[in-house]
Amino acid sequence: MAKTVYSFGESSDVRAVSRLDRDASRALLGGKGAGLFEMSRIGLPVPPGFTVTTDVCRAYYARKAEKGLTRHAMRHPDRSAKSIGRAVVVEFLAAVRKLEKATGRRFGAVENPLLVSVRSGSKFSMPGMMDTILNLGLNDRTVLGLEAQTGNPRFAWDCYRRFIAMFGNVVKGIDKEAFESALRQVKAAADAQSDAELSTQALQRLVGLFKDIYKEHSGFPFPQEPGDQLRLAVTAVFESWNNPRAFAYRKLNRIPDDLGTACTVQAMVFGNMGSDCATGVGFTRDPGTGERAFYGEFLVNAQGEDVVAGTRTPRPLGELSKEMPATYKRLLEISGKLEKHYGDVQDMEFTIEKGRLFMLQTRTGKRSAMAALRIAVDMVDEGLITPDQAVMRLTPEQLDELLRPVFEDGASAKAKVLAKGLPAGPGAATGRVYFSADRAVEEAKKGPVILVRPETNPDDIHGMAAAEGILTATGGMTSHAAVVGRGMGKVCVVGCGELETLGLKEGDWISLDGFKGRVLEGRVETQPSEILEVLLGKRPAAKSELYRRYKTFMAWADAARVLEVRANADTPEDAKTATALGAAGIGLCRTEHMFFGEDRIPKVLAMILADSEEERYEAVKALYPLQKADFKAIFKTMRGRPVTVRTIDPPLHEFLPQTLEAAGRVATLHGFDAAKLWAKTLELKEANPMLGHRGCRLGITYPEITDMQARAILSAACELGREGVAASPEIMIPLVGHVTELRHQKKRVAAIAEAVFAEHGSCIRYQVGTMIEVPRAALTAGEIAEEAEFFSFGTNDLTQMTLGYSRDDYGRYIGRYLEMKILDSDPFRSLDRSGVGRLVSMAVEQGRKSRPTLKIGICGEHGGDPASIRFFHDAGLGYVSCSPYRVPVARLAAAQAAISSKALHN
Amino acid sequence: MAKTVYSFGESSDVRAVSRLDRDASRALLGGKGAGLFEMSRIGLPVPPGFTVTTDVCRAYYARKAEKGLTRHAMRHPDRSAKSIGRAVVVEFLAAVRKLEKATGRRFGAVENPLLVSVRSGSKFSMPGMMDTILNLGLNDRTVLGLEAQTGNPRFAWDCYRRFIAMFGNVVKGIDKEAFESALRQVKAAADAQSDAELSTQALQRLVGLFKDIYKEHSGFPFPQEPGDQLRLAVTAVFESWNNPRAFAYRKLNRIPDDLGTACTVQAMVFGNMGSDCATGVGFTRDPGTGERAFYGEFLVNAQGEDVVAGTRTPRPLGELSKEMPATYKRLLEISGKLEKHYGDVQDMEFTIEKGRLFMLQTRTGKRSAMAALRIAVDMVDEGLITPDQAVMRLTPEQLDELLRPVFEDGASAKAKVLAKGLPAGPGAATGRVYFSADRAVEEAKKGPVILVRPETNPDDIHGMAAAEGILTATGGMTSHAAVVGRGMGKVCVVGCGELETLGLKEGDWISLDGFKGRVLEGRVETQPSEILEVLLGKRPAAKSELYRRYKTFMAWADAARVLEVRANADTPEDAKTATALGAAGIGLCRTEHMFFGEDRIPKVLAMILADSEEERYEAVKALYPLQKADFKAIFKTMRGRPVTVRTIDPPLHEFLPQTLEAAGRVATLHGFDAAKLWAKTLELKEANPMLGHRGCRLGITYPEITDMQARAILSAACELGREGVAASPEIMIPLVGHVTELRHQKKRVAAIAEAVFAEHGSCIRYQVGTMIEVPRAALTAGEIAEEAEFFSFGTNDLTQMTLGYSRDDYGRYIGRYLEMKILDSDPFRSLDRSGVGRLVSMAVEQGRKSRPTLKIGICGEHGGDPASIRFFHDAGLGYVSCSPYRVPVARLAAAQAAISSKALHN
């Protein structure tokens, strides 16, 4: 192992650390340690100390796994030395000696004893997740030294009793309540209302009681040797990396589990030695609004834990300027220096010991979405950062949040959470509960509606469109409700298993928090996204400062990105939204709905029930004028931007009534024979419809459908052309696995094109390409590219087939799989890089090899996922296509991918 | 283009051809042309002539496709010259000049006119599929020359009228009936009974009528210019490559469509000029039995077409020895010389013109399966061929035929064909029809039974086992009936759509021809395979000459092959059969049936219905002793040979009753709550079970099942070990897609193994590996091989997922796909090399890279398919595993793969 302990009092160590880039120093020393070194380096007042690297933590776990050492054994003083390694201990002790020298105090000495804090700190900030021990070094003798040193016996014994309790809790896992209960007894005996009223004698008694509790619960006496205390504390900090709350936090924030924590040991400074002492936190700008104002809180005569514990109410930092004007001025200077140094908002901790200011921590300040946008734009204006850097300062999730309706300030905090589900469509919604699409549509005329269903299917579309939010009992992040709801920009909570137990009745008010997947009781007021309202023309741009920043920011993002962003849109309305949100075209226009609808379904049924080819041909022909009108409307909206139209994809049985009753109803309505209709449903039923008779398999076995659609698309384009409106259709053949399939369909389209162009006496440019969604298509992409003018990866189906996961069924095991870490993430949300990604890369490489001009995009759900977009950027795709409301997020993610990747390759 | 016309009268051309290997000369000149050149070369009497190469035919089609020339245009004399290319025409005319020189006759000359035959001939023999024209060169003038030349006016005019009819039919597509009808009129007018009774005058009249018919139907006068005749005839031969019957024949025999045909023009010799003339065919050995005896037929005073037409009954060749002893002797010599020269049985055509013998054709003789075996073995004994060559002389299909029951000689030819289906299980069976498995079992005690079902499922297994044959209405070559029936060695016809219309009643006799997929009326007697009876110990080996040859032959095959052949076997009975048929181990032991069965299903249901983990654990535990006994029995049968056991694979809902009624029945029978049982069925129902919660996904979410199975397998092996019986279990985890899945399951198995070995105080060797059946597994095979000790490709599921074809549903379009040539072959019968095969190759390469000792096999249906076996050999697999009855076929296919591949690389 390399050097394992770095002292930030030691200039050679500070120099060594300064040679690392920021990421590397954070990885090695944790965020806290890295910040302390950096502050030391630029001359800020930092109490001396040292950091044990994350390497030591990782080695600790490796050794532990190897030897199968138990948690218990690790804590035995003799063992803990071994467990962090003899070599480390040597460096460690040397660092303690240096610390003694720097402070002029001695560890374990009665005279002028050295006390230290021991804190965790990992590469990524995990606030409050891991353990901290203060006042370490106190024992029955040094407490007397502290008395002498401070001239404050009460302070010394108060520190000692706090230390024993903290150490007992962190190192031995003794419940805090055991100590609290003893404290209550002593207070009762002394008739004291608050801790502050306890006398030195009472505190001394408390120390005795705490030591007994320690021994009783741990089986060991409280360690009097500061060296033992320190080794045990370091080990405990390492152990805290894997405590359940840290584990859960990492999972939520996608932080890898194998990074480990560093451990920083620092000379104590005290904010609680009198009224000339204080402790506090400060932000260089307002983390809620992004306003450029020094912001924070402090407490006089207090230790950091008092601010956190909430027993006293901290005061706004502004007041410190009156209380300690010089110190405040110094703090303000430091704040400015740190922000400039880091080029980003800082979140600082400080302590004032007897009028002297010490900086204990600095880190990048967390901020709200709105603040993030303002800070990013302001800092470019101020010349602090470049536009590219600004683009990296807002996460795609934050941008998404800015485009969603939200609950009014504070409203949701008060509401009762009824149940939790999956956050399938972000935003906030409130409305009355209705359980059927028809009822929802009806009631939506009177007021906002939440559609509540076991699960949704295409029959619910009108209800989903009418509702503010959608709540389902089953289904995952890619269920029908999730995909379609998200596509509509609806707030959507799915897979809410408790739904049935809630006892919701028709007409009840509920609210949905689509950011967190929560169902809230009653009516919680919401407000729409200001930016979105401007984008959709519902609010004037002129008055919106927020929109101005958004526009500036997105212009930087668009300048940075390489990937084109298109939208998946099936209707002129979708197309309009997509354009408003910045889509460069339509990457997927599904034609399914062009077969549904009151005016179409009788024709579709006639097509499916046809007994002869002629009969079927006639039925298909009847659909032609309707579909042509559909395409004209979409092309018109897109005004010459490319529109990728997918020919018929779903298996025919999806168009048929699914129950005997429904068959009866439909038959009566449209004048079909019910028995025949039902027989056809049974005949067409498939064991695995996902792998069934659909996609181009339909277009090949029923070529008249492809012909009709090609004719509708091309005639629409020609007719518009005569009206002076450009149209760029790209005809996309779905589910191709063999080049022969595409060749067949392309020939049909070419023949139709020839005929249509002859009829119109004019040509338009069009392309024929294919979805790459069957693994075989990716494997034989070279051949397929000989026919295809473009590829569009259908990563949903490609994931289903490559992994063998049915999207409709994988809910049965995906939860367990994620829990057990069989999978790192849901492959339908974020692309499986090593499996599906490999196929994508192969197909891109081979496709381009056989046709260098091949246009390549992706139109699966992954088109809107930032991590996947990063992959698509790296894989060299030309565009991503996602749902209209996801377009801004995809634009930002594409920009960030381009910037990160450039950084990596520079 | 290179040289396009080769003359076999010309020694420089003969030499040029002799430098090609046999395959290349057949590819260039067709089988017929190549044979004529070879016979010329070794000095046999061949009438002179020349061959236009297949290159010309391919160029003809290329030019045709390019110019979009119609069939009609191609036939116009002026165009046809262009259509075969000016350069070719020059060579062609030169060849005609040489032919004139060689024969001393002149094309189109009245004095001593040259007449020729024009025949097709492609690389692979397609007997009778393409067109032939005889007597070309005759016209109104040369017919007089022929009169003079032969002194036989009747003969000359008979030739002329035959020529016009043949030419009209072949070149202009005029229906033969038009000419036949004129012939009947003339015969009636002449009061003649047979053609032979017609006078020269009548024949001259007929020629006039035929010319009129020709002009009427074609719009052109009959071409008098022999050069025009010849060019038109060559074009017509090229066109005949794509006539419907040739097309169908190639499809059936998997001959590529783009080879094209050669065209051989040869001086006519006449077997019909008198009683010193004859024509006939000969085989160097008996093609039915393989006996070493000159075999064939001849007709005196006849042309080849008379033998084919069947108007006269040919006589056995033996009689020629009395009729023309010297010629017969010469023929016998030639026969011996040809067989020795080619090293294989020859099928020859000859003509005797005025006592002079001419050889017109020689080709490899087609033969029955039994003859093929005998000839292969005999020829090695005679020193004619090597054992490796012998191994190539029997197709895997022929070997399979030798192991199947067959109809008694001639019996099936007389039977009426009721319907056709797919030939899913080869062999012949007869029995009474029963429509349910239970009835079939009952009636099978009284006599042979044919189980007739719409389709079969696992509930029918006992009925299938009891039946002689299985007939189903639906399902393809890989349906349950096909796969399981084939596995049991049952005669099986599936997908017989007409079944319902046959009006079969319970108890009716029917017979099944499983070779051709035919359903025959009534009882057609069958006889078992002699070889199989010996192998299964039902007949003594000593008396069977057939078995002796089989044994010799298979020993050669086994010596040649590299691939190991295992069997898929789930029971001791299967294992015993597999061993008897030469399996080296079990490549796939499915454990599904170990969960079915009267004694198990209540326990399995209890497991599925368990409300708590403990309850489920108890239910699983109850299965343990039963499964352990199952494994012991199988291991015991296999006596130390490797046995690959697959842990639980099917989704749990497969074990549940599928209808409400069945749920009631099952619940009552086993004491469960019917409502709960049915609710569970509905709960576990999946949209796409193929991609559902099954395979290792079950083993991971219900690890107690894997634990129980591992314990049963390993305990069985340990207990046998104590009895002195070796066992080599290989535990195979199904449906792995991520290495983490395998790692999880392997850990569970290892923990169980440790416990079991401790309990027994002994160890046994075992391995843990995985199926590669999910595309992602193949894509990440390198990672997976870090954990897997072996791979076994599950090519059924791998095909389903890679192509996105559900085996249960692909019947809806596969027929059209094959017809339309979207697919070359059914990917579930023969491995899709460019898609699935690519994944297999990638996985082999990466798997071996990460674990060089990795054992790799395949256990899908493709393991028994010869073409796929060839691929697996080339891909470097270690073994294939197939159904027990397929083992000999796989051994032979593996040997042929090794020999072919060696030849290719030498």
Side-chain angles (χ1 to χ4, degrees), chain A residues 51-380:
Chain A
T51 301
V52 183
T53 68
T54 55
D55 288 342
V56 180
C57 177
R58 284 192 298 271
Y60 166 84
Y61 277 108
R63 201 172 301 111
K64 195 173 159 183
E66 205 174 280
K67 304 218 176 148
L69 293 174
T70 64
R71 193 180 163 91
H72 180 79
M74 300 302 285
R75 285 197 176 155
H76 188 282
D78 290 347
R79 294 273 185 96
S80 74
K82 269 185 217 152
S83 70
I84 59 171
R86 286 281 167 213
V88 178
V89 169
V90 172
E91 277 195 64
F92 186 87
L93 292 176
V96 171
R97 293 291 93 79
K98 280 181 203 161
L99 186 51
E100 289 177 331
K101 212 167 150 194
T103 55
R105 297 175 183 172
R106 271 190 53 223
F107 209 44
V110 177
E111 199 177 331
N112 219 5
L114 171 64
L115 302 189
V116 298
S117 64
V118 179
R119 292 176 214 249
S120 60
S122 72
K123 180 171 179 185
F124 300 104
S125 171
M126 295 165 57
M129 290 303 140
M130 292 185 296
D131 296 322
T132 291
I133 298 172
L134 302 178
N135 305 325
L136 188 139
L138 282 176
N139 59 20
D140 295 352
R141 288 171 301 124
T142 57
V143 69
L144 305 173
L146 187 59
E147 263 189 35
Q149 196 179 359
T150 61
N152 188 339
R154 204 197 158 281
F155 167 76
W157 286 94
D158 192 47
C159 283
Y160 192 20
R161 66 98 185 168
R162 283 172 190 257
F163 170 52
I164 298 168
M166 211 176 226
F167 190 91
N169 172 250
V170 170
V171 176
K172 292 295 177 183
I174 302 166
D175 197 335
K176 283 178 185 163
E177 178 51 27
F179 298 108
E180 292 292 329
S181 142
L183 175 60
R184 278 195 303 273
Q185 277 173 34
V186 171
K187 266 155 76 174
D191 203 15
Q193 295 304 312
S194 78
D195 299 3
E197 291 170 40
L198 287 177
S199 67
T200 304
Q201 287 69 29
L203 289 168
Q204 284 169 336
R205 246 201 325 282
L206 204 53
V207 164
L209 285 172
F210 276 17
K211 285 196 289 189
D212 291 347
I213 291 170
Y214 185 97
K215 188 169 179 186
E216 186 188 328
H217 283 81
S218 71
F220 290 92
F222 179 74
Q224 288 291 326
E225 185 53 54
D228 286 346
Q229 289 175 0
L230 191 53
R231 279 197 298 270
L232 284 166
V234 171
T235 311
V237 163
F238 289 165
E239 281 289 329
S240 73
W241 173 253
N242 273 342
N243 75 32
R245 63 178 193 277
F247 203 79
Y249 184 91
R250 286 199 298 271
K251 193 166 168 176
L252 201 66
N253 291 276
R254 300 194 179 196
I255 297 173
D257 283 330
D258 56 1
L259 296 176
T261 181
C263 180
T264 294
V265 177
Q266 193 172 22
M268 285 296 299
V269 288
F270 296 97
N272 55 346
M273 282 170 79
S275 61
D276 55 351
C277 299
T279 192
V281 296
F283 281 83
T284 58
R285 307 197 182 203
D286 186 327
T289 64
E291 204 190 334
R292 195 179 177 188
F294 190 42
Y295 174 97
E297 296 174 327
F298 75 104
L299 274 175
V300 170
N301 194 16
Q303 264 195 325
E305 56 175 336
D306 299 320
V307 183
V308 181
T311 43
R312 290 165 59 191
T313 306
R315 296 156 62 193
L317 256 187
E319 297 180 15
L320 190 65
S321 64
K322 290 161 216 156
E323 206 110 348
M324 307 180 188
T327 313
Y328 180 77
K329 203 180 144 219
R330 175 82 178 115
L331 193 57
L332 214 56
E333 276 168 28
I334 288 175
S335 164
K337 193 166 179 177
L338 277 174
E339 189 181 271
K340 199 161 174 189
H341 180 72
Y342 282 105
D344 201 355
V345 173
Q346 294 300 299
D347 161 1
M348 305 159 297
E349 284 180 23
F350 61 89
T351 283
I352 301 164
E353 187 185 82
K354 296 187 174 292
R356 193 168 160 205
L357 176 66
F358 290 98
M359 299 305 294
L360 298 184
Q361 173 163 311
T362 188
R363 60 186 174 194
T364 304
K366 297 209 183 289
R367 66 208 76 174
S368 72
M370 207 178 290
L373 178 60
R374 176 164 178 176
I375 292 167
V377 173
D378 284 355
M379 284 193 166
V380 174

Side-chain angles (χ1 to χ4, degrees), chain B residues 63-77:
Chain B
R63 199 173 301 112
K64 193 173 160 183
E66 205 172 283
K67 305 216 175 150
L69 293 174
T70 63
R71 193 178 163 92
H72 178 80
M74 299 304 285
R75 286 200 174 154
H76 187 283

Side-chain angles (χ1 to χ4, degrees), chain A residues 685 740-741 812 817 822, chain B residues 685 740-741 812 817 822:
Chain A
K685 214 176 140 190
T740 44
E741 294 176 309
R812 292 169 200 282
Y817 264 39
I822 299 282
Chain B
K685 215 178 140 187
T740 45
E741 295 177 309
R812 291 169 200 283
Y817 264 39
I822 298 282

